[in-house]
Amino acid sequence: MTMKRRYLHAHQWPYAVSTLELGAMAQARLPAFAWEYIAAGAEEESTLRANQAAFQAIRLNAQPLGGVAEPALAIQPHEHRWHLPLAISPTGYNGLLRKNADILLAQAAAQNHIPFTLSTVSCNSLEEVADAAPDGERWFQLYPFADENITHDLLRRAATCGFETLLVTIDAVTLGHREWYQRAFKKPGKLFLRHILDTGMHPRWMYQTLWPSGLPGLGNLAKYIGADQTILGALEFTDSCFLKTLAWDHLAGIRKRWDGRLYVKGVLTAETAMRAWGIGADGVIVSNHGGRQIDGVPATIEALPKIAATRPSGGDVLLDSGIRRGSDVLKAIALGATAVMLGRPTLYGVTVGGSDGAARALQIIAGQLKDLMAQLGIARIADITPAVLR
Ligand SMILES: Cc1cc2nc3c(=O)[nH]c(=O)nc-3n(C[C@H](O)[C@H](O)[C@H](O)COP(=O)(O)O)c2cc1C
């Protein structure tokens, strides 16, 4: 039997002790349709559940009396030193959660000296994020467009704004069936009446998100799709603009155009990883899109070891989907990840507490990781090896 937790109220987020608690707080703060947008997985949500269950199924070897008081969490994969082995995953439509959520997440990442990834379908634009978080390491996630000119213009803007790494997402060419979320809409952009009434029951969300100018549009895409589209109206439209026939040749073309680091996001097999290295990728991101795309694909931590085994010298293997605790970070690194990325945990944080709330999510996970490393006698991230796993 699982014990029902008594979580604090949403406004008490500075006292949240786990990212699960931040999630419960975010659920209380958001109208149902917005909560379901961030929380839901595809179809039966078996992959969504497996992501966390697979981490929990991995047991650790107790290594007492290791004599480590202050483990160091910093890593330096390339030119930048990250203070934590974490990065923020790209998430679209963040303006549903709070005004300027993309900027707030970028600022939380910069404060913690870790990378932030801006989605193609973000509400704040590349230019706004670069202005608001000038010191942070910024990454851009691309959904290639059927109209090549849009793709090329986005790449140019990202490079001009100092976005250093490009993530090309390959697992969302067709959107997954997120039934809970889809059920909220009568037709594209139009919520059912019960959901409209439900928003009225969430005055804090209305204030933090809608006041004074209503729902935002898609900052990066306004110039191509028309600035009058709000995110609700744009959802269907943008999906129809993406390149449905995306193939390795397109990725090779993007590789030629993009001078910075390029990561392929959505890799779940060694074969796909080999194709990514083959087109000259600098990294792969082991991801099942947080269980939002194909229901039934494996948990990312199960897929990781074989993918990590393909890593060429200088290549990065990152992982996301299901990271909720410091122990998950340790397990992923032990099985070959360079670092991990977070989707929902920082979204929960930004929903309840803005930039400080997102930073709280990072600090909760960092605190858990640090304590666990001390308990296991591990002084540095580089010392985390498979020997720590049973
Ligand atoms: C609300 C939401 C929106 C997302 N939007 C995007 C997106 O625009 N582009 C993308 O590549 N991945 C997107 N993802 C997937 C995330 O980048 C990431 O793979 C996933 O959230 C990681 O799983 P986690 O939420 O369990 O940490 C989205 C995920 C969520 C939860």
Side-chain angles (χ1 to χ4, degrees):
M1 191 180 77
T2 43
M3 205 190 299
K4 179 127 178 58
R5 305 287 175 197
R6 283 199 174 195
Y7 292 130
L8 296 171
H9 291 291
H11 67 273
Q12 293 168 305
W13 61 263
Y15 303 98
V17 295
S18 70
T19 62
L20 301 183
E21 185 167 19
L22 278 180
M25 292 171 169
Q27 180 173 13
R29 175 68 57 87
L30 293 170
F33 87 94
W35 167 249
E36 287 168 5
Y37 170 64
I38 62 171
E43 301 191 346
E44 297 297 326
E45 305 189 319
S46 68
T47 295
L48 176 72
R49 287 190 296 278
N51 280 338
Q52 279 176 259
F55 275 116
Q56 287 163 8
I58 299 171
R59 301 274 142 202
L60 300 171
N61 276 325
Q63 300 171 164
L65 308 186
V68 174
E70 274 293 315
L73 301 190
I75 58 171
Q76 185 154 3
H78 303 286
E79 54 275 33
H80 300 290
R81 186 175 156 81
W82 306 3
H83 287 197
L84 307 170
L86 308 173
I88 296 187
S89 291
T91 53
Y93 307 94
N94 290 338
L96 268 185
L97 311 177
R98 182 180 277 268
K99 263 188 299 289
N100 293 324
D102 300 299
I103 286 178
L104 298 169
L105 286 162
Q107 289 172 336
Q111 225 180 60
N112 284 277
H113 300 268
I114 63 166
F116 162 75
T117 318
L118 187 71
S119 165
T120 293
V121 285
S122 60
C123 294
N124 293 118
S125 65
L126 288 150
E127 292 78 8
E128 285 173 320
V129 170
D131 278 353
D135 303 327
E137 181 175 345
R138 294 183 299 281
W139 296 358
F140 178 59
Q141 174 266 327
L142 178 73
Y143 284 131
F145 277 71
D147 178 350
E148 250 187 6
N149 294 323
I150 299 183
T151 304
H152 295 166
D153 194 47
L154 282 169
L155 293 183
R156 185 194 53 72
R157 288 168 61 194
T160 309
C161 294
F163 284 72
E164 297 173 46
T165 298
L166 183 72
L167 275 60
V168 185
T169 299
I170 60 168
D171 63 2
V173 169
T174 297
L175 274 189
H177 292 180
R178 304 158 198 171
E179 295 172 4
W180 281 34
Y181 177 68
Q182 286 160 331
R183 218 171 274 135
F185 288 90
K186 195 171 179 179
K187 56 183 180 176
K190 286 268 174 280
L191 287 168
F192 276 107
L193 180 63
R194 62 186 292 205
H195 281 283
I196 297 174
L197 296 176
D198 178 58
T199 59
M201 306 290 286
H202 294 82
R204 285 187 86 127
W205 171 81
M206 289 177 76
Y207 175 69
Q208 77 186 34
T209 307
L210 302 183
W211 191 84
S213 41
L215 276 178
L218 293 180
N220 290 331
L221 307 184
K223 115 176 223 210
Y224 319 116
I225 67 175
D228 53 336
Q229 295 266 10
T230 74
I231 32 181
L232 289 193
L235 190 67
E236 194 87 347
F237 180 72
T238 47
D239 183 40
S240 69
C241 298
F242 296 146
L243 180 61
K244 302 289 178 199
T245 53
L246 183 66
W248 288 106
D249 285 350
H250 296 113
L251 271 86
I254 292 168
R255 167 70 289 183
K256 285 207 185 87
R257 276 188 173 264
W258 179 258
D259 292 332
R261 301 185 72 73
L262 183 141
Y263 294 163
V264 176
K265 175 171 183 279
V267 173
L268 285 171
T269 65
E271 292 72 30
T272 312
M274 292 302 292
R275 297 296 297 263
W277 305 126
I279 59 115
D282 301 294
V284 296
I285 298 171
V286 183
S287 172
N288 56 33
H289 218 103
R292 298 162 75 81
Q293 283 299 110
I294 303 179
D295 192 33
V297 292
T300 48
I301 193 67
E302 291 169 352
L304 174 65
K306 283 190 177 153
I307 296 170
T310 68
R311 178 208 316 256
S313 139
D316 292 323
V317 176
L318 301 179
L319 172 142
D320 76 15
S321 304
I323 301 282
R324 297 293 179 272
R325 290 193 175 269
S327 53
D328 302 335
V329 182
L330 178 119
K331 289 168 185 175
I333 293 173
L335 288 173
T338 314
V340 302
M341 302 184 72
L342 306 170
R344 294 183 184 86
T346 34
L347 292 183
Y348 300 154
V350 83
T351 297
V352 290
S355 180
D356 290 343
R360 177 80 196 142
L362 297 172
Q363 288 308 325
I364 288 172
I365 292 178
Q368 291 165 342
L369 175 62
K370 192 168 179 184
D371 288 348
L372 180 59
M373 286 169 65
Q375 285 167 326
L376 295 171
I378 301 172
R380 298 173 315 145
I381 296 293
D383 299 336
I384 300 174
T385 68
V388 77
L389 309 178
R390 274 176 78 90

